Amino acid sequence: MKYFVASGEDRKLTADSRKALRGSFIELSDGVTHYELTGPEDGEVVLMAGGLTIPLFYWDGLVSELHARGLRTLTCSAYGRGYSDRVQARYDERLFARQLAELTDRLGLTARPLHLVGTSMGALVSMTYAAQYRSSVSTLTIVGPAGLAKPQLTSPHRLLRSDLLSGLVARRRGLQLLQGHLGHNVRDPELGTKLTEMALDCLRFEGSMYAVFDTLQHLPLTGREGLFRRTGALGVPTLLLWGDEDDVTPLAHFDTARALLKPRKHHVITKCGHMAPFERPRDVADQLVPFVSARTERLDS
């Protein structure tokens, strides 16, 4: 799809404009990445990969919980999200996995395996990363993963195969469609408003709609059982978490995910929608921290 600037994208990401923005920035091979490496300096590192539209601020609640329990965190905005570059590239899982690999390498975090967390689309990115960099992943936590719905004629990946159609939809109805998507992510209306404002604010930067719709073209969010199966065969200790009221990646796929991923541990968070780390950070930390700690203790003993 040819790069474009959509209506309402009234900001530009530049070295000067980033000086007033939260977070740190680093130039990687594909572009500038927006990241935050925070928490206890001697803590095990938890690396997080987010969904289709979210900036790194999405993780703030979980980050606070993990810091309080002794873990260090690395969050980043995927290309096209947050304050990372809107790169003119093919937005597929390989791009996002390469971004994570280069970021951890440049920050000097490759000496010890890290703990990888992926939610929604980020779960597919995390699985891709784990396959490519198996020795660098100590544990894998998958939360409400995309990928297990059956492909339909109306699946975005199929509908948007045409560059012309994809660009047309993105320009004319992109923002409206994304607002509707964001509204289904969480149960609590107040949290839903906060999430929508967070994402829409970052979508004002030039190239955002291009990045999201190119992702929908090139990163299939359905029919990914093979990726789940290959991940299950890697032998990475895996934790599977899901919200019981997830309307985006329904709990109906939970048993399939368990069969394919073969997680060491699994848990359903009650009264929770699609974005458990955002909606219920304490509950996610309650599951994640003992899982990570048990693995760390085994490695250290």
Side-chain angles (χ1 to χ4, degrees):
M1 182 166 56
K2 188 176 179 182
Y3 178 84
F4 63 87
V5 175
S7 175
E9 294 181 353
D10 54 2
R11 299 178 184 172
K12 287 186 178 182
L13 284 165
T14 65
D16 284 339
S17 69
R18 283 185 169 112
K19 290 176 184 176
L21 300 175
R22 166 184 157 180
S24 301
F25 301 92
I26 190 168
E27 178 88 45
L28 303 178
S29 65
D30 293 289
V32 173
T33 288
H34 172 219
Y35 76 94
E36 289 183 348
L37 176 61
T38 50
E41 293 202 2
D42 60 347
E44 291 279 310
V45 176
V46 181
L47 170 64
M48 306 187 198
L52 179 67
T53 57
I54 58 171
L56 63 78
F57 323 127
Y58 165 88
W59 299 102
D60 284 357
L62 180 58
V63 161
S64 295
E65 290 286 343
L66 298 183
H67 290 175
R69 306 181 200 205
L71 293 173
R72 191 160 173 76
T73 58
L74 175 57
T75 58
C76 71
S77 298
Y79 291 123
R81 285 82 182 159
Y83 306 145
S84 288
D85 274 353
R86 276 61 177 152
V87 298
Q88 296 186 42
R90 184 184 179 92
Y91 281 81
D92 57 17
E93 57 257 52
R94 288 176 290 277
L95 173 71
F96 299 127
R98 182 165 66 246
Q99 182 185 23
L100 296 179
E102 291 184 0
L103 180 61
T104 54
D105 181 55
R106 289 286 302 279
L107 295 177
L109 300 176
T110 56
R112 187 179 175 94
L114 47 76
H115 304 277
L116 184 57
V117 179
T119 181
S120 194
M121 182 192 84
L124 304 179
V125 174
S126 295
M127 289 186 243
T128 302
Y129 179 95
Q132 292 180 346
Y133 308 99
R134 170 65 186 88
S135 63
S136 72
V137 179
S138 181
T139 67
L140 176 64
T141 297
I142 298 296
V143 189
L148 291 177
K150 299 297 180 187
Q152 306 288 331
L153 289 175
T154 54
S155 297
H157 180 60
R158 291 186 172 182
L159 279 177
L160 301 174
R161 279 177 179 168
S162 160
D163 284 347
L164 185 63
L165 177 60
S166 185
L168 190 66
V169 171
R171 286 182 178 90
R172 292 193 175 178
R173 295 201 57 217
L175 195 58
Q176 181 184 350
L177 291 169
L178 291 182
Q179 281 180 293
H181 168 74
L182 288 163
H184 291 296
N185 279 294
V186 298
R187 293 174 69 254
D188 183 331
E190 285 188 22
L191 276 179
T193 299
K194 180 181 176 184
L195 173 72
T196 300
E197 289 175 352
M198 176 199 303
L200 293 183
D201 185 61
C202 293
L203 290 173
R204 290 178 61 184
F205 290 100
E206 290 185 1
S208 296
M209 210 58 61
Y210 158 78
V212 171
F213 276 78
D214 197 88
T215 306
L216 290 171
Q217 264 197 315
H218 295 122
L219 203 167
L221 300 176
T222 59
R224 306 304 302 273
E225 289 86 353
L227 177 59
F228 279 72
R229 188 177 293 107
R230 290 191 296 275
T231 304
L234 290 174
V236 179
T238 300
L239 168 65
L240 176 64
L241 302 176
W242 219 299
D244 68 338
E245 297 183 31
D246 188 334
D247 291 333
V248 179
T249 55
L251 188 62
H253 300 303
F254 184 69
D255 287 344
T256 302
R258 281 184 60 193
L260 296 172
L261 289 175
K262 300 179 174 62
R264 298 270 179 95
K265 190 177 179 185
H266 55 85
H267 179 74
V268 175
I269 301 172
T270 58
K271 297 181 181 177
C272 179
H274 179 55
M275 293 190 159
F278 181 74
E279 295 176 74
R280 303 285 290 279
R282 182 169 296 177
D283 295 273
V284 172
D286 284 346
Q287 299 297 320
L288 178 61
V289 173
F291 184 72
V292 164
S293 299
R295 176 64 178 170
T296 304
E297 288 167 6
R298 280 197 294 273
L299 290 174
D300 289 341
S301 60

